[in-house]
């Protein structure tokens, strides 16, 4: 069974990101894929407080060691995040930058959303994930979510074939 972490890339209260991630989770579990939500609002990482750079893998802080243990238990990740001013949330960048070798080679897919789909944030995030040497899966979603969206279920349902393909990507991991 593949264990896939769904990273909630925002720490806002009443988070649309959490709602979307929960809907995705309900659609992606299969007999060979088990998903778990990773809520960065609950992880509570300090802002790059380690005395050495993450590439040295010499973590001193308990919060970093706990985060390292969390990341290491997953076979891959789905990163769900909003586009903020053509970028991604700082809490997500901090969570990614706190570690380094732990991300290398891990399969990942992104689900970005915004009132115009999130293209700019996806572009910026793709560079970060390349720098971490993660393995980008071929299925990545860009959701247009109007600011006054009331029914996220319909938006997710309109991408069901993509979600099914993403599930297959994780099922086929070695």
């Amino acid at each position: 069974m593949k264990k896939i972490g769904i990273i909630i890339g925002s720490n806002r209260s009443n988070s649309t990101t959490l709602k979307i991630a929960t809907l995705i989770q309900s659609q992606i579990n299969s007999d060979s894929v088990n998903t778990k939500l990773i809520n960065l609002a609950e992880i509570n990482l300090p802002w790059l407080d380690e005395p050495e750079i993450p590439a040295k893998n010499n973590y001193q802080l308990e919060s970093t060691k706990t985060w390292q243990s969390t990341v290491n238990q997953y076979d891959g990740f789905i990163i769900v995040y909003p586009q903020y001013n053509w970028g991604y949330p700082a809490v997500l960048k901090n969570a990614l930058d706190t570690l380094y070798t732990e991300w290398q080679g891990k399969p990942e897919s992104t689900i970005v959303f915004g009132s115009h789909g999130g293209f700019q944030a996806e572009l910026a995030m793709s560079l970060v994930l390349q720098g971490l040497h993660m393995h980008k899966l071929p299925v990545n979603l860009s959701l247009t979510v109007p600011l006054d969206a009331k029914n996220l279920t319909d938006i997710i349902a309109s991408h069901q074939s993509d979600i099914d393909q993403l599930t297959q990507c994780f099922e086929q991991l070695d």
Side-chain angles (χ1 to χ4, degrees):
M1 168 105 29
K2 300 297 179 202
K3 190 173 180 184
I4 307 303
I6 301 177
I7 297 175
I8 300 163
S10 172
N11 60 346
R12 288 186 188 239
S13 58
N14 195 27
S15 171
T16 300
T17 310
L18 174 59
K19 293 171 188 169
I20 290 173
T22 301
L23 288 168
I24 295 294
Q25 181 185 36
S26 72
Q27 299 297 314
I28 207 162
N29 284 323
S30 75
D31 291 340
S32 59
V33 176
N34 182 31
T35 60
K36 183 173 179 200
L37 297 177
I38 303 170
N39 192 341
L40 295 181
E42 296 171 0
I43 300 294
N44 200 23
L45 286 169
W47 293 96
L48 297 175
D49 253 1
E50 285 290 340
E52 295 191 53
I53 63 171
K56 291 188 174 183
N57 204 19
N58 184 21
Y59 305 128
Q60 304 297 311
L61 300 177
E62 206 51 48
S63 59
T64 306
K65 293 175 185 178
T66 300
W67 180 230
Q68 176 188 38
S69 175
T70 298
V71 168
N72 281 339
Q73 67 181 291
Y74 291 97
D75 300 306
F77 295 93
I78 299 170
I79 304 170
V80 183
Y81 60 100
Q83 176 170 283
Y84 290 167
N85 302 315
W86 291 13
Y88 44 80
V91 69
L92 177 56
K93 179 72 163 126
N94 184 60
L96 293 169
D97 285 350
T98 296
L99 303 176
Y100 181 70
T101 57
E102 295 78 6
W103 300 115
Q104 293 179 2
K106 297 267 187 170
E108 57 84 7
S109 176
T110 57
I111 300 175
V112 62
F113 67 93
S115 58
H116 300 287
F119 169 76
Q120 299 293 342
E122 175 59 28
L123 181 63
M125 180 56 65
S126 70
L127 296 173
V128 172
L129 299 176
Q130 286 175 28
L132 292 171
H133 305 286
M134 295 184 82
H135 173 67
K136 187 166 204 64
L137 294 175
V139 180
N140 299 274
L141 282 68
S142 180
L143 309 176
T144 298
V145 178
L147 295 175
D148 61 351
K150 303 273 189 274
N151 192 347
L152 294 172
T153 303
D154 289 345
I155 294 170
I156 300 302
S158 71
H159 292 273
Q160 189 59 54
S161 65
D162 294 322
I163 296 167
D164 292 343
Q165 289 177 7
L166 180 57
T167 302
Q168 290 175 355
C169 286
F170 282 117
E171 287 173 338
Q172 296 169 0
L173 293 177
D174 291 331

